[in-house]
PDB file of all heavy atoms in Angstrom:
ATOM      1  N   THR A 331     115.737 105.384 121.657  1.00 96.00           N
ATOM      2  CA  THR A 331     115.841 105.732 120.236  1.00 96.00           C
ATOM      3  C   THR A 331     116.923 104.901 119.551  1.00 96.00           C
ATOM      4  O   THR A 331     116.726 104.392 118.432  1.00 96.00           O
ATOM      5  CB  THR A 331     116.143 107.228 120.079  1.00 96.00           C
ATOM      6  OG1 THR A 331     115.108 107.991 120.716  1.00 96.00           O
ATOM      7  CG2 THR A 331     116.232 107.610 118.611  1.00 96.00           C
ATOM      8  N   LEU A 332     118.066 104.743 120.215  1.00 96.00           N
ATOM      9  CA  LEU A 332     119.131 103.927 119.633  1.00 96.00           C
ATOM     10  C   LEU A 332     118.709 102.460 119.511  1.00 96.00           C
ATOM     11  O   LEU A 332     119.033 101.788 118.523  1.00 96.00           O
ATOM     12  CB  LEU A 332     120.395 104.044 120.490  1.00 96.00           C
ATOM     13  CG  LEU A 332     121.105 105.399 120.447  1.00 96.00           C
ATOM     14  CD1 LEU A 332     122.281 105.414 121.430  1.00 96.00           C
ATOM     15  CD2 LEU A 332     121.598 105.711 119.032  1.00 96.00           C
ATOM     16  N   GLY A 333     117.983 101.973 120.515  1.00 95.00           N
ATOM     17  CA  GLY A 333     117.503 100.594 120.426  1.00 95.00           C
ATOM     18  C   GLY A 333     116.520 100.402 119.288  1.00 95.00           C
ATOM     19  O   GLY A 333     116.559  99.385 118.574  1.00 95.00           O
ATOM     20  N   ASP A 334     115.641 101.386 119.098  1.00 94.00           N
ATOM     21  CA  ASP A 334     114.684 101.312 117.988  1.00 94.00           C
ATOM     22  C   ASP A 334     115.406 101.352 116.651  1.00 94.00           C
ATOM     23  O   ASP A 334     115.065 100.620 115.710  1.00 94.00           O
ATOM     24  CB  ASP A 334     113.698 102.472 118.099  1.00 94.00           C
ATOM     25  CG  ASP A 334     112.402 102.177 117.367  1.00 94.00           C
ATOM     26  OD1 ASP A 334     112.356 101.184 116.630  1.00 94.00           O
ATOM     27  OD2 ASP A 334     111.444 102.947 117.518  1.00 94.00           O
ATOM     28  N   LEU A 335     116.416 102.208 116.538  1.00 95.00           N
ATOM     29  CA  LEU A 335     117.196 102.280 115.302  1.00 95.00           C
ATOM     30  C   LEU A 335     117.983 100.994 115.060  1.00 95.00           C
ATOM     31  O   LEU A 335     118.125 100.544 113.906  1.00 95.00           O
ATOM     32  CB  LEU A 335     118.143 103.478 115.348  1.00 95.00           C
ATOM     33  CG  LEU A 335     117.498 104.868 115.254  1.00 95.00           C
ATOM     34  CD1 LEU A 335     118.546 105.957 115.429  1.00 95.00           C
ATOM     35  CD2 LEU A 335     116.786 105.034 113.921  1.00 95.00           C
ATOM     36  N   GLY A 336     118.510 100.412 116.138  1.00 95.00           N
ATOM     37  CA  GLY A 336     119.238  99.154 115.981  1.00 95.00           C
ATOM     38  C   GLY A 336     118.341  98.033 115.470  1.00 95.00           C
ATOM     39  O   GLY A 336     118.725  97.253 114.584  1.00 95.00           O
ATOM     40  N   GLU A 337     117.146  97.938 116.030  1.00 94.00           N
ATOM     41  CA  GLU A 337     116.189  96.942 115.543  1.00 94.00           C
ATOM     42  C   GLU A 337     115.791  97.216 114.096  1.00 94.00           C
ATOM     43  O   GLU A 337     115.659  96.287 113.286  1.00 94.00           O
ATOM     44  CB  GLU A 337     114.948  96.959 116.439  1.00 94.00           C
ATOM     45  CG  GLU A 337     113.875  95.964 116.035  1.00 94.00           C
ATOM     46  CD  GLU A 337     114.176  94.552 116.496  1.00 94.00           C
ATOM     47  OE1 GLU A 337     115.190  94.356 117.186  1.00 94.00           O
ATOM     48  OE2 GLU A 337     113.376  93.654 116.177  1.00 94.00           O
ATOM     49  N   SER A 338     115.609  98.494 113.755  1.00 93.00           N
ATOM     50  CA  SER A 338     115.280  98.846 112.370  1.00 93.00           C
ATOM     51  C   SER A 338     116.418  98.472 111.429  1.00 93.00           C
ATOM     52  O   SER A 338     116.185  98.055 110.287  1.00 93.00           O
ATOM     53  CB  SER A 338     114.968 100.342 112.265  1.00 93.00           C
ATOM     54  OG  SER A 338     113.846 100.690 113.047  1.00 93.00           O
ATOM     55  N   MET A 339     117.644  98.615 111.898  1.00 95.00           N
ATOM     56  CA  MET A 339     118.799  98.233 111.080  1.00 95.00           C
ATOM     57  C   MET A 339     118.788  96.732 110.792  1.00 95.00           C
ATOM     58  O   MET A 339     119.055  96.299 109.662  1.00 95.00           O
ATOM     59  CB  MET A 339     120.089  98.617 111.819  1.00 95.00           C
ATOM     60  CG  MET A 339     121.328  98.604 110.957  1.00 95.00           C
ATOM     61  SD  MET A 339     121.407 100.066 109.912  1.00 95.00           S
ATOM     62  CE  MET A 339     123.096  99.946 109.322  1.00 95.00           C
ATOM     63  N   ILE A 340     118.472  95.950 111.795  1.00 95.00           N
ATOM     64  CA  ILE A 340     118.411  94.490 111.599  1.00 95.00           C
ATOM     65  C   ILE A 340     117.295  94.140 110.622  1.00 95.00           C
ATOM     66  O   ILE A 340     117.504  93.342 109.689  1.00 95.00           O
ATOM     67  CB  ILE A 340     118.191  93.787 112.960  1.00 95.00           C
ATOM     68  CG1 ILE A 340     119.389  94.014 113.878  1.00 95.00           C
ATOM     69  CG2 ILE A 340     117.955  92.296 112.759  1.00 95.00           C
ATOM     70  CD1 ILE A 340     119.196  93.492 115.283  1.00 95.00           C
ATOM     71  N   LYS A 341     116.124  94.720 110.812  1.00 94.00           N
ATOM     72  CA  LYS A 341     114.998  94.404 109.928  1.00 94.00           C
ATOM     73  C   LYS A 341     115.253  94.886 108.508  1.00 94.00           C
ATOM     74  O   LYS A 341     114.849  94.226 107.539  1.00 94.00           O
ATOM     75  CB  LYS A 341     113.711  95.014 110.495  1.00 94.00           C
ATOM     76  CG  LYS A 341     113.242  94.351 111.778  1.00 94.00           C
ATOM     77  CD  LYS A 341     111.872  94.822 112.204  1.00 94.00           C
ATOM     78  CE  LYS A 341     111.886  96.239 112.688  1.00 94.00           C
ATOM     79  NZ  LYS A 341     110.570  96.630 113.293  1.00 94.00           N
ATOM     80  N   ARG A 342     115.922  96.008 108.351  1.00 93.00           N
ATOM     81  CA  ARG A 342     116.233  96.483 107.002  1.00 93.00           C
ATOM     82  C   ARG A 342     117.241  95.565 106.331  1.00 93.00           C
ATOM     83  O   ARG A 342     117.158  95.319 105.118  1.00 93.00           O
ATOM     84  CB  ARG A 342     116.753  97.926 107.072  1.00 93.00           C
ATOM     85  CG  ARG A 342     116.960  98.562 105.709  1.00 93.00           C
ATOM     86  CD  ARG A 342     117.126 100.069 105.837  1.00 93.00           C
ATOM     87  NE  ARG A 342     115.890 100.696 106.270  1.00 93.00           N
ATOM     88  CZ  ARG A 342     114.920 101.060 105.438  1.00 93.00           C
ATOM     89  NH1 ARG A 342     115.023 100.836 104.147  1.00 93.00           N
ATOM     90  NH2 ARG A 342     113.828 101.638 105.893  1.00 93.00           N
TER      91      ARG A 342
END
Side-chain angles (χ1 to χ4, degrees):
T331 302
L332 290 175
D334 203 350
L335 290 175
E337 180 79 3
S338 298
M339 195 77 168
I340 295 174
K341 291 189 290 188
R342 186 166 292 274

